[in-house]
Amino acid sequence: MSVTATRFAGTRSVLVELSDLDSVLALDALLEASPLPGQLDVLAAASTVFIKADSWASARKIAAAIPALELGTAPENAGSLVTVDVHYDGEDLAEVAKLTDLSIESVINAHTSQTWRAAFGGFAPGFAYLLGENSSLNVPRRDTPRKVVPSGAVALAGDYSAVYPRQSPGGWQLIGHTDAVLWDLERENPALIRPQDRVQFTASHTSLKLSSRTAAAPAHAAPKAAAGQLEILDPGLQSLIQDLGRPGLGNLGVSAAGAADTSSARAANRLVGNAAEAAVIENLLGSLVLRARGDAVLSVTGAHAQLLITPVEEDDFHEEERAPQMNTPFALLDGETLTLLPSGSGLRSYLGVRGGIDVDPVLGSRSTDSMSGIGPAPLAPGTLLPVGTVTGSHVVGNPEPSTLPVPDAHGIYTLRISKGPREDWFGEAGLRQLTGQTWSVSAESNRVGVRLALPGDSSPLTRIRTGELSSEGVAVGALQVPPSGLPVLFLADHPVTGGYPVIAGVIAEDLPAAAQLPPGAQLRFELVDPLTHNPHAPRAAGAPSHEGNTP
């Protein structure tokens, strides 16, 4: 049992490779019991442990400390014993019997006669990789993954079994289904099965309908008592509630989420005198229209928009429309309407209100996770957003410069990257190709990730290694490369694990700029050494400018 390697993943994460699963579980248990300074999240996988840190300095200290740790062994009975009743009626049950050279009855007996251990989580909230006591049911994934696997499906792949907590794509072999609810935000512990738990499957003799629950807490629920409200008249293409996210839940399959452009979100709060973590509205491509119910102080940052305030018709004191400036605080009086219209560069605008948007937090955060559905629902016409009460002394800020990235004279943006953790799958030639050609932003991009396309004579990346990479933790900013050779740059709502190699990661200081690149934007990557780069040094032409960002 030992640590075989440590690799940096971006500038705020460390990927630890271990000799076997027992070492993975031992290190995971040790870090959960005694977190290292600066440790934010720990995610165990088949042969790695992924550690997220609060800064580059903490990541360096964590990487240096890991090899000296005494791993020991993970406690055998660290978690709880969970019993899961299964209807063995899966579409692949006969195929599993054929692959294992067992009868269907023997497959069921093999599944129910052993205790399964939740080795690690990932993929989706509530999904746990369950390792059996033997390899009698070791089967490969399906050659063609299903586009839809139903909620509650019980499945096998390799030495693992799992239960799908919600409807999703999947390539595992389906042997049955359960009526148990794997993920329920109304429980004190939302995940029925947590890492280190032991699971006993039992064969059901009843036929119950699948139950399901909605993970989202609608933002348009009955409003609480508040200092005022913002009424959404038109949410535009997409408007979401965001704050700085919910880190620390990766082992349950929950991504941090939060504002895609944290620099602009922080600036919006700073301008109206809020704490950095207050909830704001993240609006995609303008066209947001809202009305104040009670006087409010607002600010709009991020993507350039034309701001227009329409007064109340019977208001004799404010009969004319007003056009406040972006990146500066302004008043929106009771009954007045604010309209945002896109007017320039950038993709996402952020609207802050003094007191913050006081919707109920979910798992400690008011952010919307577009991939998992956790958090407030997307804003809709008629949504009433309560505004929080201002307590203490919070000074409204002065106008600030825009935090948007600026392209070079040719209209090309530059993002700085650090290599790894899996650059060895592409070699030095792959890194030169990544940084030596221009890429474009695909229209299929979203809050999960920026999908890159090939303009002009650019070409996809090519692997120099064969085989498949076991799923492992991934960081925001990771450039994951699927077999197509077209990288995906992970943003705030990215999955916590990935099965494709990550050639490099955008450094933390440039992540807000990545979130502001609209479809069709062209960009290049500049390789930097995290050990020597200075985030406050003068930037090259086309590099992002985020004066308000916190490294």
Coordinates of all heavy atoms in Angstrom, one line a residue, residues 60 156 261:
R60 N 0.4 23.3 -3.1 CA 1.8 22.9 -3.1 C 2.1 22.2 -1.8 O 2.8 21.2 -1.7 CB 2.7 24.1 -3.3 CG 2.6 24.7 -4.7 CD 3.5 25.9 -4.8 NE 4.9 25.6 -4.6 CZ 5.8 26.6 -4.6 NH1 5.5 27.8 -4.8 NH2 7.1 26.3 -4.4
L156 N -24.4 -3.2 -13.1 CA -23.1 -3.8 -12.9 C -22.1 -3.3 -14.0 O -22.5 -3.1 -15.1 CB -23.1 -5.3 -13.0 CG -24.0 -6.1 -11.9 CD1 -24.1 -7.5 -12.4 CD2 -23.3 -6.0 -10.6
D261 N -18.5 33.2 -13.7 CA -17.5 34.3 -13.6 C -17.5 34.9 -12.2 O -18.3 35.8 -11.9 CB -17.9 35.4 -14.7 CG -16.9 36.6 -14.6 OD1 -16.0 36.6 -13.7 OD2 -17.1 37.5 -15.5

